[in-house]
Amino acid sequence: MASTLETILDANRRYAEGFGEKCNLAMPPARRFAILTCMDARLDPAKFAGLAEGDAHVVRNAGGRASDDAIRSLVISYKLLGTREWFVIHHSDCGMETFSDEVMRGLLAKSLDHAVLEADGWHDRGSGPGTSEGQYIDWLTIRNQEESVLEDVRRLRGHPLVPPWIPIYGFIYDVRSGGLLPVPAATKLGSAK
Ligand code: ZN
């Protein structure tokens, strides 16, 4: 059976063979918008938002949260690369809803092996040692999708590095239907001033 590495390189060879005119794409995103969303493997922004190479910036992290690093990317996105509209897209059934900072820190303190999600929560099956380094990270977990979208749009809207003229839209992607559900309170809060 082919390894992950071989499979990826094989797929890439085929992709590069058909690369064609994409060699001429400009660096700034042609459609001038950016999406901040979760790294969840079920989400494919290119497909659910109809993007082609060169169209838009997609900033991804666990939860699609407006972390300092996400803000770093978004500021570069508008300041240097011309985006003028942003979308914050969290999603249903997000893994970030399944734990808290305390739980994550506890799991990491036990071991650096995989943890397992069971009916009553996460369990560490590894044989240590673990580390206390998890204490120093804000894991930006999520309790409620609408609230997390609202919270992140609020943070972006109020951030001193984010100009008031960029509209910020809030959505929840439904992993069961593939649809984008609007979060009107977030989009209202994120409207351009
Ligand atoms: Zn997620």
Side-chain angles (χ1 to χ4, degrees):
M1 204 174 78
S3 70
T4 303
L5 177 61
E6 285 163 346
T7 312
I8 286 176
L9 293 178
D10 186 49
N12 179 253
R13 269 188 291 274
R14 276 179 270 122
Y15 177 73
E17 276 165 20
F19 203 60
E21 292 302 307
K22 289 196 277 280
C23 66
N24 297 318
L25 287 171
M27 187 195 295
R31 292 171 61 192
R32 304 241 200 146
F33 66 89
I35 292 174
L36 170 61
T37 197
C38 184
M39 68 184 188
D40 191 297
R42 294 168 292 181
L43 276 61
D44 186 341
K47 288 181 183 156
F48 76 62
L51 311 178
E53 292 90 335
D55 274 355
H57 282 149
V58 180
V59 179
R60 301 186 73 165
N61 62 34
R65 302 308 311 268
S67 61
D68 288 349
D69 195 62
I71 290 172
R72 178 185 70 88
S73 294
L74 288 169
V75 170
I76 291 168
S77 174
Y78 93 81
K79 186 70 184 174
L80 304 181
L81 293 162
T83 60
R84 50 191 181 194
E85 293 174 277
W86 294 350
F87 294 75
V88 173
I89 304 176
H90 294 179
H91 66 98
S92 60
D93 195 38
C94 186
M96 299 299 282
E97 295 170 278
T98 65
F99 66 99
S100 62
D101 275 355
E102 200 181 12
V103 166
M104 185 60 160
R105 288 167 182 166
L107 293 168
L108 289 165
K110 284 198 178 115
S111 88
L112 300 183
D113 289 318
H114 296 298
V116 184
L117 182 59
E118 286 165 353
D120 62 342
W122 286 98
H123 293 281
D124 198 88
R125 295 276 181 261
S127 51
T131 172
S132 60
E133 276 296 318
Q135 301 284 347
Y136 301 96
I137 293 179
D138 181 345
W139 297 94
L140 301 173
T141 60
I142 291 174
R143 261 178 303 196
N144 172 292
Q145 294 299 333
E146 291 205 13
E147 275 171 29
S148 63
V149 170
L150 192 62
E151 203 174 292
D152 286 359
V153 169
R154 182 182 291 118
R155 181 169 194 218
L156 292 171
R157 180 78 296 152
H159 199 281
L161 295 175
V162 174
W165 50 264
I166 292 184
I168 307 166
Y169 313 111
F171 286 91
I172 295 170
Y173 174 85
D174 180 358
V175 296
R176 300 289 162 231
S177 71
L180 285 174
L181 313 171
V183 182
T187 298
K188 187 170 176 229
L189 190 74
S191 60
K193 302 279 185 288

